Amino acid sequence: MAESMKTELVSAIYLQEAEQSELQDVEKEQTYTVEEAVEHIGFGRFHVLLFAIMGSSNIVEAMEIMLLAVASPEIRCEWRLDDWQVASVSTMVFFGFMVCGVLGGYVADKYGRWKVATSLDSLTATWRYVLKTEFIPAKYRAVLLPLAAIFWMCGSMLIIVLGLLVVPTLGWRWMIRISVAPSVILLYLFKFIPESARFNVSAGNTAAAVDTLKWIAEMNKASLPPGRLVETPVKERGSWRVLLNSTFRRTSLLLWYSWFVASFAYYGSVLSSSELLEKNLLCVTDGDRAHQVKHRLEGGQCYCVPFASSDYQTLLISCLGEVSLIPVNILLLNILGRRQTLMVLQAVSASFFLMLNICTSMFGFTLLLFLLRSMVSMNFTAVYIYTAEVYPTVSRSLGMGFCTSVSRLGGMIAPFIAQVLMSQSVILALSPFSFACALCAVGSFLLPIETKGRALLQIA
């Protein structure tokens, strides 16, 4: 009996020691997260490829938007449209973007970022915003993401050059046909970008996430961290409840307004410059009366003044403003942080909108327009970076989708301010843009979370 008890005691001790050994082995096993892997791999050839393809999509979207400003004078002239009708044409474009924004965000969070790329370009906007952020190490985001403005500027300038060369010879319809070609090519380029590793782990597909990270590491001639990838799968993805829970409610509401103003101000600056140049309103106090005299055509009144070569040149110079101050934007984001940068850019944008009302020379107007385009473009970049960093992976695309959809409301309203009110009063048309920017600066001060230097969250 004693011998049996002794044997059982020895067996129990042996089992306990074996369990402790297993626990120690588990504790010694090294693990890493997607965030740690992305930081460990660093910047390399993969990110160059990523930026080339994602930047190409920026070019396509910029072409679509600048097309509104360049084609408006021609459409107004040929179809004998009133101001509100021209504005309606612009508004319908943004309406399409708005409807697809939330849809694209939901699909990207629920079924994957890559699936959105096979849809229309209006859907891919949300996807590319999120994907660029999720693949870039934290220390590089505030440096690399503002550089995307270079691609946007290239798209805007390409349409202006097309307008200068094609419209006088072949007409505005051929300008539109030619501008569609890059969108078709872009669909074939998306296959070279992998699915987001962050999405794969949130969906429980760890093996696919590891394969993606290995491929990126090989392209960058780097290696993965030692150990194995460990992340907790998330059952509920793409839920709007995360955006309005106690943690993100105030952030979401303020961000929606910030995106509304970012779009409202940006497209307001583009369309206002087009209207001021087309209608020669730089120093006109009573635009409507002046047009009744200057722009009456046979067969009825029509504000039909196609762009001259000098007008195209002014638009080209103003487009350069979107990239000229990128170094300043990078410094502000890294020194002041995201929230204070938004405050500064929005406040300065408010003042420049009012300064456009000053009666000055064409050089002075071009300079003011150059600086205004710089401010509103930098503001768009800053709010985009902040939004992509503040939301967790499980709802990042949906959060961005809601923000981009709300921003399209700003784009829908901007034409009715810039293209309708401008004929009545320049100051009346510019004041709403200035007031919206000033109010948005106050809203940025109230944002509760600073994301500078913070790792991307996987779950809320």
Side-chain angles (χ1 to χ4, degrees), residues 47-58:
H47 296 91
V48 175
L49 174 66
L50 177 70
F51 258 77
I53 296 177
M54 296 296 102
S56 299
S57 62
N58 273 0

Side-chain angles (χ1 to χ4, degrees), residues 269 273 314 318 356 364-374:
S269 69
S273 61
T314 299
S318 67
L356 276 183
F365 172 75
T366 303
L367 179 61
L368 285 174
L369 190 58
F370 178 90
L371 294 174
L372 175 61
R373 291 284 290 273
S374 298

Side-chain angles (χ1 to χ4, degrees), residues 243-256 339 445-449:
L243 307 181
L244 294 176
N245 64 20
S246 58
T247 303
F248 293 110
R249 185 180 300 115
R250 186 168 73 172
T251 298
S252 294
L253 294 175
L254 290 174
L255 274 180
W256 291 345
R339 291 184 303 174
F445 175 77
L446 299 175
L447 285 170
I449 304 171

Side-chain angles (χ1 to χ4, degrees), residues 197-217:
R198 297 179 193 272
F199 169 79
N200 277 330
V201 295
S202 70
N205 195 356
T206 304
V210 172
D211 290 340
T212 297
L213 293 171
K214 284 182 178 178
W215 182 67
I216 296 173

Side-chain angles (χ1 to χ4, degrees), residues 58-78:
N58 273 0
I59 291 176
V60 169
E61 186 175 356
M63 290 175 66
E64 293 174 3
I65 300 304
M66 184 55 69
L67 194 62
L68 298 175
V70 175
S72 289
E74 304 298 327
I75 294 173
R76 186 199 311 265
C77 180
E78 180 172 330

